[in-house]
Short mmCIF file of all heavy atoms in Angstrom, two decimals:
data_model
loop_
_atom_site.label_atom_id
_atom_site.label_comp_id
_atom_site.label_asym_id
_atom_site.label_seq_id
_atom_site.Cartn_x
_atom_site.Cartn_y
_atom_site.Cartn_z
N ASN A 1 8.63 -6.51 2.35
CA ASN A 1 7.97 -7.74 1.90
C ASN A 1 6.47 -7.56 1.71
O ASN A 1 5.88 -8.11 0.77
CB ASN A 1 8.22 -8.87 2.91
CG ASN A 1 9.60 -9.47 2.77
OD1 ASN A 1 10.17 -9.47 1.68
ND2 ASN A 1 10.15 -9.95 3.87
N LEU A 2 5.85 -6.79 2.60
CA LEU A 2 4.41 -6.53 2.50
C LEU A 2 4.07 -5.86 1.17
O LEU A 2 3.15 -6.30 0.46
CB LEU A 2 3.96 -5.66 3.68
CG LEU A 2 2.50 -5.19 3.67
CD1 LEU A 2 1.56 -6.37 3.73
CD2 LEU A 2 2.24 -4.23 4.83
N TYR A 3 4.81 -4.82 0.82
CA TYR A 3 4.59 -4.10 -0.44
C TYR A 3 4.76 -5.05 -1.63
O TYR A 3 3.89 -5.10 -2.52
CB TYR A 3 5.60 -2.94 -0.52
CG TYR A 3 5.31 -1.92 -1.61
CD1 TYR A 3 4.88 -0.65 -1.28
CD2 TYR A 3 5.49 -2.22 -2.97
CE1 TYR A 3 4.62 0.31 -2.27
CE2 TYR A 3 5.25 -1.29 -3.95
CZ TYR A 3 4.81 -0.03 -3.60
OH TYR A 3 4.56 0.90 -4.59
N CYS A 4 5.85 -5.80 -1.64
CA CYS A 4 6.15 -6.70 -2.77
C CYS A 4 5.10 -7.81 -2.88
O CYS A 4 4.68 -8.16 -4.00
CB CYS A 4 7.54 -7.31 -2.61
SG CYS A 4 8.86 -6.08 -2.66
N ASN A 5 4.68 -8.36 -1.73
CA ASN A 5 3.67 -9.43 -1.76
C ASN A 5 2.33 -8.93 -2.29
O ASN A 5 1.64 -9.64 -3.04
CB ASN A 5 3.49 -10.01 -0.35
CG ASN A 5 4.70 -10.81 0.10
OD1 ASN A 5 5.51 -11.24 -0.72
ND2 ASN A 5 4.85 -10.99 1.40
N LEU A 6 1.95 -7.71 -1.90
CA LEU A 6 0.69 -7.14 -2.38
C LEU A 6 0.74 -6.88 -3.88
O LEU A 6 -0.23 -7.16 -4.60
CB LEU A 6 0.38 -5.84 -1.63
CG LEU A 6 -0.01 -5.97 -0.15
CD1 LEU A 6 -0.12 -4.61 0.50
CD2 LEU A 6 -1.31 -6.73 0.02
N VAL A 7 1.87 -6.36 -4.38
CA VAL A 7 2.03 -6.13 -5.82
C VAL A 7 1.98 -7.46 -6.57
O VAL A 7 1.35 -7.57 -7.63
CB VAL A 7 3.35 -5.38 -6.11
CG1 VAL A 7 3.67 -5.38 -7.61
CG2 VAL A 7 3.27 -3.94 -5.62
N ASP A 8 2.63 -8.48 -6.00
CA ASP A 8 2.63 -9.81 -6.60
C ASP A 8 1.21 -10.36 -6.71
O ASP A 8 0.81 -10.92 -7.74
CB ASP A 8 3.51 -10.74 -5.76
CG ASP A 8 3.82 -12.05 -6.47
OD1 ASP A 8 3.92 -12.04 -7.72
OD2 ASP A 8 3.96 -13.08 -5.80
N SER A 9 0.42 -10.19 -5.63
CA SER A 9 -0.99 -10.65 -5.63
C SER A 9 -1.78 -9.90 -6.70
O SER A 9 -2.59 -10.51 -7.42
CB SER A 9 -1.62 -10.40 -4.27
OG SER A 9 -0.96 -11.09 -3.27
N GLY A 10 -1.56 -8.59 -6.81
CA GLY A 10 -2.26 -7.79 -7.82
C GLY A 10 -1.91 -8.20 -9.24
O GLY A 10 -2.78 -8.26 -10.12
N GLU A 11 -0.63 -8.49 -9.49
CA GLU A 11 -0.19 -8.94 -10.82
C GLU A 11 -0.83 -10.27 -11.19
O GLU A 11 -1.32 -10.45 -12.31
CB GLU A 11 1.33 -9.07 -10.85
CG GLU A 11 2.07 -7.76 -11.05
CD GLU A 11 3.55 -7.96 -11.29
OE1 GLU A 11 4.21 -8.55 -10.42
OE2 GLU A 11 4.05 -7.54 -12.34
N LYS A 12 -0.81 -11.20 -10.25
CA LYS A 12 -1.35 -12.55 -10.52
C LYS A 12 -2.87 -12.52 -10.72
O LYS A 12 -3.42 -13.31 -11.48
CB LYS A 12 -0.98 -13.49 -9.38
CG LYS A 12 0.50 -13.88 -9.39
CD LYS A 12 0.88 -14.71 -8.19
CE LYS A 12 2.36 -15.06 -8.24
NZ LYS A 12 2.80 -15.76 -7.01
N ALA A 13 -3.54 -11.60 -10.01
CA ALA A 13 -5.01 -11.49 -10.12
C ALA A 13 -5.44 -10.64 -11.31
O ALA A 13 -6.63 -10.57 -11.63
CB ALA A 13 -5.58 -10.90 -8.83
N GLY A 14 -4.48 -9.97 -11.97
CA GLY A 14 -4.81 -9.11 -13.12
C GLY A 14 -5.47 -7.81 -12.72
O GLY A 14 -6.20 -7.21 -13.51
N ALA A 15 -5.24 -7.39 -11.47
CA ALA A 15 -5.85 -6.14 -10.98
C ALA A 15 -4.78 -5.28 -10.32
O ALA A 15 -4.94 -4.82 -9.18
CB ALA A 15 -6.97 -6.47 -9.99
N LEU A 16 -3.70 -5.05 -11.05
CA LEU A 16 -2.56 -4.31 -10.48
C LEU A 16 -2.92 -2.88 -10.14
O LEU A 16 -2.51 -2.36 -9.10
CB LEU A 16 -1.38 -4.34 -11.47
CG LEU A 16 -0.07 -3.70 -10.99
CD1 LEU A 16 0.42 -4.33 -9.69
CD2 LEU A 16 1.00 -3.80 -12.07
N GLU A 17 -3.73 -2.21 -11.01
CA GLU A 17 -4.06 -0.80 -10.75
C GLU A 17 -4.88 -0.65 -9.46
O GLU A 17 -4.67 0.29 -8.68
CB GLU A 17 -4.79 -0.17 -11.94
CG GLU A 17 -6.18 -0.72 -12.26
CD GLU A 17 -6.14 -2.01 -13.07
OE1 GLU A 17 -5.04 -2.46 -13.43
OE2 GLU A 17 -7.23 -2.56 -13.32
N LYS A 18 -5.81 -1.60 -9.21
CA LYS A 18 -6.60 -1.56 -7.97
C LYS A 18 -5.71 -1.80 -6.75
O LYS A 18 -5.87 -1.15 -5.71
CB LYS A 18 -7.72 -2.61 -8.02
CG LYS A 18 -8.86 -2.26 -8.96
CD LYS A 18 -9.95 -3.31 -8.90
CE LYS A 18 -11.08 -2.99 -9.89
NZ LYS A 18 -12.10 -4.06 -9.90
N MET A 19 -4.78 -2.75 -6.91
CA MET A 19 -3.88 -3.07 -5.81
C MET A 19 -2.96 -1.89 -5.49
O MET A 19 -2.72 -1.56 -4.33
CB MET A 19 -3.05 -4.32 -6.15
CG MET A 19 -2.16 -4.79 -5.01
SD MET A 19 -3.06 -5.06 -3.48
CE MET A 19 -4.06 -6.46 -3.94
N LEU A 20 -2.44 -1.22 -6.52
CA LEU A 20 -1.58 -0.06 -6.32
C LEU A 20 -2.35 1.07 -5.63
O LEU A 20 -1.80 1.77 -4.77
CB LEU A 20 -1.00 0.43 -7.65
CG LEU A 20 0.13 -0.41 -8.26
CD1 LEU A 20 0.46 0.08 -9.66
CD2 LEU A 20 1.38 -0.38 -7.39
N ASP A 21 -3.61 1.23 -6.01
CA ASP A 21 -4.46 2.25 -5.37
C ASP A 21 -4.64 1.93 -3.88
O ASP A 21 -4.56 2.82 -3.02
CB ASP A 21 -5.81 2.28 -6.08
CG ASP A 21 -6.71 3.39 -5.53
OD1 ASP A 21 -6.28 4.55 -5.55
OD2 ASP A 21 -7.82 3.07 -5.07
N ARG A 22 -4.85 0.65 -3.58
CA ARG A 22 -5.03 0.22 -2.19
C ARG A 22 -3.73 0.40 -1.39
O ARG A 22 -3.75 0.85 -0.24
CB ARG A 22 -5.46 -1.25 -2.19
CG ARG A 22 -5.99 -1.74 -0.87
CD ARG A 22 -6.64 -3.09 -1.02
NE ARG A 22 -7.96 -3.00 -1.59
CZ ARG A 22 -8.52 -3.93 -2.36
NH1 ARG A 22 -7.86 -5.01 -2.67
NH2 ARG A 22 -9.74 -3.78 -2.83
N ILE A 23 -2.60 0.05 -2.02
CA ILE A 23 -1.29 0.21 -1.35
C ILE A 23 -1.01 1.69 -1.10
O ILE A 23 -0.52 2.06 -0.03
CB ILE A 23 -0.16 -0.41 -2.21
CG1 ILE A 23 -0.33 -1.92 -2.32
CG2 ILE A 23 1.21 -0.09 -1.60
CD1 ILE A 23 0.59 -2.58 -3.34
N ALA A 24 -1.32 2.53 -2.09
CA ALA A 24 -1.09 3.98 -1.95
C ALA A 24 -1.90 4.53 -0.79
O ALA A 24 -1.38 5.33 0.02
CB ALA A 24 -1.45 4.69 -3.25
N THR A 25 -3.16 4.12 -0.68
CA THR A 25 -4.02 4.57 0.43
C THR A 25 -3.43 4.14 1.76
O THR A 25 -3.36 4.92 2.72
CB THR A 25 -5.44 4.01 0.27
OG1 THR A 25 -5.97 4.42 -0.99
CG2 THR A 25 -6.35 4.49 1.38
N TYR A 26 -3.00 2.87 1.82
CA TYR A 26 -2.40 2.32 3.05
C TYR A 26 -1.15 3.11 3.45
O TYR A 26 -0.99 3.51 4.61
CB TYR A 26 -2.08 0.84 2.84
CG TYR A 26 -0.94 0.33 3.67
CD1 TYR A 26 -1.02 0.23 5.06
CD2 TYR A 26 0.27 -0.06 3.07
CE1 TYR A 26 0.05 -0.23 5.82
CE2 TYR A 26 1.33 -0.51 3.81
CZ TYR A 26 1.22 -0.60 5.18
OH TYR A 26 2.28 -1.04 5.92
N LEU A 27 -0.26 3.37 2.47
CA LEU A 27 0.99 4.09 2.76
C LEU A 27 0.71 5.53 3.20
O LEU A 27 1.35 6.04 4.13
CB LEU A 27 1.90 4.09 1.52
CG LEU A 27 2.53 2.75 1.14
CD1 LEU A 27 3.29 2.89 -0.18
CD2 LEU A 27 3.48 2.25 2.22
N GLU A 28 -0.23 6.19 2.51
CA GLU A 28 -0.57 7.58 2.86
C GLU A 28 -1.12 7.67 4.28
O GLU A 28 -0.74 8.56 5.06
CB GLU A 28 -1.58 8.14 1.86
CG GLU A 28 -0.97 8.45 0.50
CD GLU A 28 -2.01 8.59 -0.61
OE1 GLU A 28 -3.22 8.39 -0.33
OE2 GLU A 28 -1.62 8.87 -1.74
N LYS A 29 -2.03 6.75 4.62
CA LYS A 29 -2.62 6.74 5.97
C LYS A 29 -1.55 6.44 7.03
O LYS A 29 -1.54 7.05 8.10
CB LYS A 29 -3.74 5.69 6.05
CG LYS A 29 -4.93 5.97 5.16
CD LYS A 29 -5.88 6.96 5.79
CE LYS A 29 -7.15 7.10 4.97
NZ LYS A 29 -8.07 8.10 5.55
N THR A 30 -0.66 5.48 6.71
CA THR A 30 0.39 5.10 7.65
C THR A 30 1.34 6.25 7.90
O THR A 30 1.72 6.53 9.05
CB THR A 30 1.17 3.88 7.12
OG1 THR A 30 0.26 2.81 6.85
CG2 THR A 30 2.19 3.39 8.13
N GLU A 31 1.75 6.94 6.83
CA GLU A 31 2.68 8.06 6.97
C GLU A 31 2.04 9.22 7.73
O GLU A 31 2.70 9.88 8.53
CB GLU A 31 3.15 8.54 5.58
CG GLU A 31 4.16 7.63 4.92
CD GLU A 31 5.34 7.30 5.81
OE1 GLU A 31 6.02 8.23 6.26
OE2 GLU A 31 5.55 6.11 6.09
N LEU A 32 0.74 9.44 7.48
CA LEU A 32 0.02 10.49 8.21
C LEU A 32 -0.03 10.18 9.70
O LEU A 32 0.17 11.06 10.54
CB LEU A 32 -1.40 10.61 7.64
CG LEU A 32 -2.23 11.81 8.12
CD1 LEU A 32 -1.60 13.12 7.70
CD2 LEU A 32 -3.66 11.71 7.56
N LEU A 33 -0.26 8.90 10.02
CA LEU A 33 -0.30 8.46 11.42
C LEU A 33 1.08 8.63 12.08
O LEU A 33 1.18 9.08 13.22
CB LEU A 33 -0.74 6.99 11.48
CG LEU A 33 -1.09 6.43 12.86
CD1 LEU A 33 -2.28 7.17 13.46
CD2 LEU A 33 -1.39 4.95 12.76
N LYS A 34 2.13 8.28 11.34
CA LYS A 34 3.50 8.44 11.86
C LYS A 34 3.80 9.90 12.18
O LYS A 34 4.40 10.22 13.20
CB LYS A 34 4.52 7.93 10.83
CG LYS A 34 4.70 6.42 10.81
CD LYS A 34 5.77 6.07 9.80
CE LYS A 34 5.89 4.57 9.62
NZ LYS A 34 6.87 4.23 8.54
N LYS A 35 3.36 10.80 11.28
CA LYS A 35 3.59 12.23 11.49
C LYS A 35 2.88 12.71 12.76
O LYS A 35 3.43 13.51 13.52
CB LYS A 35 3.08 13.03 10.29
CG LYS A 35 4.04 13.04 9.11
CD LYS A 35 3.54 13.95 8.01
CE LYS A 35 4.51 13.96 6.83
NZ LYS A 35 4.05 14.83 5.74
N LYS A 36 1.65 12.21 12.96
CA LYS A 36 0.90 12.61 14.15
C LYS A 36 1.59 12.14 15.43
O LYS A 36 1.66 12.87 16.42
CB LYS A 36 -0.53 12.05 14.08
CG LYS A 36 -1.40 12.75 13.04
CD LYS A 36 -2.71 12.02 12.86
CE LYS A 36 -3.52 12.63 11.74
NZ LYS A 36 -4.72 11.85 11.42
N VAL A 37 2.08 10.89 15.41
CA VAL A 37 2.77 10.34 16.58
C VAL A 37 4.07 11.10 16.85
O VAL A 37 4.40 11.42 17.99
CB VAL A 37 3.04 8.83 16.39
CG1 VAL A 37 3.90 8.29 17.51
CG2 VAL A 37 1.73 8.05 16.32
N LYS A 38 4.81 11.42 15.77
CA LYS A 38 6.04 12.20 15.92
C LYS A 38 5.75 13.58 16.51
O LYS A 38 6.49 14.09 17.35
CB LYS A 38 6.73 12.36 14.56
CG LYS A 38 7.58 11.18 14.16
CD LYS A 38 8.29 11.44 12.85
CE LYS A 38 9.09 10.21 12.42
NZ LYS A 38 9.74 10.42 11.10
#
């Protein structure tokens, strides 16, 4: 839901590319953190 809601906000604001960049950064950081914890 978080991913879909953020994409929806980006589409409605007309800044989808910025939102996708922000989501990508968030996902990359989260996955890196998960790897460290594992």
Side-chain angles (χ1 to χ4, degrees):
N1 282 331
L2 175 62
Y3 192 109
C4 296
N5 290 340
L6 290 173
V7 169
D8 193 32
S9 300
E11 279 189 302
K12 287 175 180 174
L16 184 57
E17 66 279 357
K18 287 182 182 177
M19 184 55 67
L20 285 172
D21 184 56
R22 194 169 281 149
I23 294 169
T25 302
Y26 152 68
L27 290 174
E28 287 162 358
K29 296 278 187 182
T30 305
E31 285 308 302
L32 190 63
L33 191 63
K34 280 182 186 176
K35 280 186 180 180
K36 288 171 185 173
V37 173
K38 278 183 183 177

